[in-house]
Amino acid sequence: MREMSVAPVVTGAASPGLADMVWDNARQDPEGVQFLRPSPVSPAWPAGPSARGDVPVTCAQFRGDVLALARGFIDAGIGHGDRVGLMSRTRYEWTLVDYALWSIGAVTVPIYDTSSPEQMEWILTDSGAVGCVVETDKHAAMLADRRAGLPALRQVWRIDGGDLVALAGQGRSVDDAQVDVRRTAVTGSDVATIVYTSGTTGRPKGCVLTHRNIYCDIGNATAVLPELLHPGASTVLFLPLAHAFARLIQVGMVLTRATLVHSSNMSGVLGQLQQHRPTFILAVPRVFEKMHTQTREKAADAHQEWLFRIADAVAVRYSRALDTPPGPGGPLRLARRVFDLIVYRKLRATLGGRCRTAIVGGAPLGERLGHFFRGAGLTALEGYGLTETSPALTLNLPSAMRIGTVGRPIPGVEIRIADDAEVIARGEMVFAGYWNNPDATRDTFTADGWLRTGDQGSLDDDGFLHITGRTKEIIVTAGGTNLAPAPVEDRIRAHPLVSQCILIGDDQPYVSALITIDPQAWERWTASHGRPHASVADQRDSPDLRKEIQAAIDEANETVSRAERIKTFRILPRDLTEADGELTPTLKIKREVVQSRFAADVDALYRGH
């Protein structure tokens, strides 16, 4: 059993309430720009005009906004410990509501804006929410249809309906001192939020996170990331704030007085990145896969795919050489400089030109992409954690990174590899348990108090953590072969045509795969094959298409033993989507859903065996 731990920089001994940092910032740097609200600013929470088009929100202004809304919540009868749902896309009002509730000791219960009515009802019912902030009329109508099953829910506020402005207006009769009394009464042990895991299987469970959990996690993470999180740093946040990963960055930006730009429109993210030129970004691996694919497709459109292939290889070789004692040699450095001028610089320009670092989480990035992006001048710092751990546990750092791993434990975290290879963890950022679910809480901890992560992994001699797969996702064939699917799936997704890959094989005689085709790449492929209007469903058994996918599988098969190799595959008639319930909001595959929905395709893989 191997173990790795790092002494904490920040402890929870005297951890403040999370809203205290808003008041501290307003006192220490009142004119510092905490947020930048893209123009046009929503009237749902208006702001003053700006000559630049975008509206800066200073630390003093944010404290004023939080104070005004906190008074409104007090006037509405929201008490200490009351749960309030929050269903919205990523926007300034999301963060405003979060801190206003924290400032009066209330508990935020995030709900993904893409959640189904059943999911929304379950979260509000299970948490006992007395109020809910929703974003749109559609959300409000969905909630109204379920209101009969929510007896504890007293009030609903619509962001786009102007209800937050009205709520702040109603709170004018509440004295500022009442907010101060409520805020200073909050302790580290008070519940800050209940985050329901989106989950790839089963009904969501509510992770109870205290102010101490979150404060210790972000305090220790920012302590080792001074290059990224500091006054003057900036990022465009486009991941859903209902996810613990994005939420951690939100708190980190406020803690360090860095500037945060919210982006609620995923289709317009590239424009905002180029406009606001962030110093770093936060993303899930799928974003990097898309960036790589789109860059390759642009090269193909210009009949320069051969050039991109060379640039890709040079970037990977350069990055790998950085990890060797002598480093990259002269010819490789020269090649890298040449390709920086004609390829890599253009890639970085899509992120605004100033971004040289990204924090990556939510799923494994893969060694292939990690080396490419570092070689191209965009270092992806891959980390690891769970909602139950607030969420960060480990992180690669600019000064200490190993591509292919998820880094070392951040300060205050202890990581141990159990005898069955499961990663277990301990620290002040680890939650106390699930809301209203003592059985699940008991099952997730060992007898001596370590959190079972459900992930398989190993620690190398330098303390870097390697994640090999989810315990529940390990495939065990009928012949007893154990296979972690993620590394093989990652290699197959490297093919331009492949969008998703799901390995199948539990209790089966061999390993097989379900493949989906990338819609953008499909248009290009059909045009080049003289079938411009063909659908994937019509062509999925085409010999030409199967030959392309077989080549990707053959390459992946070379990396595993004979017993682990993919013997056959099926191309699914369409790509997987979050809207169809096959992906989580952070684009993880819901394997059981996919296998159930495409059961006929799975059966066809093993027909006759």
Side-chain angles (χ1 to χ4, degrees), residues 500-564:
Q500 300 287 358
C501 174
I502 307 100
L503 264 57
I504 309 292
D506 249 351
D507 298 323
Q508 298 291 351
Y510 50 80
V511 179
S512 59
L514 298 176
I515 304 290
T516 70
I517 303 300
D518 183 272
Q520 292 181 341
W522 177 247
E523 292 181 12
R524 186 184 314 278
W525 190 87
T526 52
S528 67
H529 285 73
R531 309 165 200 168
H533 304 296
S535 68
V536 174
D538 290 338
Q539 295 292 314
R540 62 177 177 151
D541 292 323
S542 157
D544 289 341
L545 179 59
R546 289 190 61 83
K547 182 180 179 180
E548 290 258 15
I549 302 304
Q550 186 65 60
I553 289 175
D554 290 344
E555 184 178 335
N557 279 344
E558 291 300 315
T559 68
V560 295
S561 69
R562 184 175 297 276
E564 297 172 295

Side-chain angles (χ1 to χ4, degrees), residues 151-420:
L153 191 69
R154 301 194 304 259
Q155 298 172 86
V156 177
W157 300 278
R158 281 178 305 136
I159 296 175
D160 285 346
D163 291 353
L164 297 185
V165 175
L167 183 62
Q170 293 165 12
R172 290 194 183 103
S173 61
V174 176
D175 192 88
D176 291 355
Q178 292 187 51
V179 176
D180 285 337
V181 168
R182 293 277 293 269
R183 177 174 59 83
T184 55
V186 176
T187 68
S189 60
D190 284 320
V191 178
T193 188
I194 303 174
V195 182
Y196 282 78
T197 56
S198 57
T200 55
T201 61
R203 179 168 261 179
K205 300 188 292 289
C207 299
V208 179
L209 300 177
T210 65
H211 288 260
R212 177 180 293 115
N213 290 148
I214 297 172
Y215 179 78
C216 288
D217 200 38
I218 192 57
N220 284 299
T222 55
V224 293
L225 283 174
E227 309 97 324
L228 263 68
L229 292 160
H230 57 79
S234 64
T235 195
V236 175
L237 185 61
F238 50 86
L239 295 181
L241 275 164
H243 192 273
F245 183 31
R247 190 91 162 284
L248 185 73
I249 293 299
Q250 169 193 272
V251 177
M253 298 296 281
V254 174
L255 177 65
T256 59
R257 299 199 299 277
T259 302
L260 176 61
V261 182
H262 297 83
S263 178
S264 60
N265 181 10
M266 284 296 291
S267 62
V269 166
L270 283 181
Q272 291 206 7
L273 291 172
Q274 290 161 18
Q275 177 183 351
H276 298 297
R277 305 182 67 234
T279 58
F280 77 96
I281 63 167
L282 174 77
V284 293
R286 192 67 178 142
V287 172
F288 288 90
E289 291 176 359
K290 288 289 188 182
M291 284 176 60
H292 185 269
T293 298
Q294 288 171 5
T295 304
R296 178 172 50 201
E297 289 174 348
K298 286 181 180 179
D301 287 342
H303 305 290
Q304 293 182 332
E305 189 169 5
W306 62 272
L307 185 66
F308 178 78
R309 291 182 186 277
I310 299 172
D312 191 334
V314 167
V316 171
R317 285 178 55 208
Y318 183 85
S319 176
R320 291 187 185 280
L322 289 174
D323 294 331
T324 64
L332 185 53
R333 288 184 180 276
L334 177 60
R336 199 262 172 200
R337 282 198 295 270
V338 170
F339 282 108
D340 189 61
L341 291 172
I342 59 179
V343 177
Y344 310 145
R345 191 169 296 180
K346 293 178 182 177
L347 175 63
R348 297 195 302 271
T350 63
L351 303 179
R354 290 202 304 163
C355 180
R356 291 302 186 98
T357 310
I359 302 176
V360 185
L365 174 63
E367 193 172 346
R368 165 183 59 88
L369 285 178
H371 279 300
F372 168 77
F373 279 103
R374 181 169 67 164
L378 179 62
T379 301
L381 301 177
E382 191 170 1
Y384 166 74
L386 299 85
T387 304
E388 290 86 345
T389 61
S390 306
L393 287 173
T394 69
L395 185 64
N396 276 292
L397 305 175
S399 58
M401 70 177 300
R402 185 158 295 170
I403 292 175
T405 78
V406 292
R408 292 167 166 162
I410 65 171
V413 171
E414 297 176 81
I415 294 289
R416 179 184 290 178
I417 307 300
D419 293 339
D420 61 356

Side-chain angles (χ1 to χ4, degrees), residues 456 470-485 503-512 563-564 595 606:
Q456 299 268 305
R470 292 287 297 168
T471 300
K472 292 180 180 179
E473 291 176 0
I474 297 296
I475 293 172
V476 183
T477 67
T481 298
N482 285 29
L483 171 66
L503 264 57
I504 309 292
D506 249 351
D507 298 323
Q508 298 291 351
Y510 50 80
V511 179
S512 59
E564 297 172 295
Q595 291 186 43
Y606 297 100

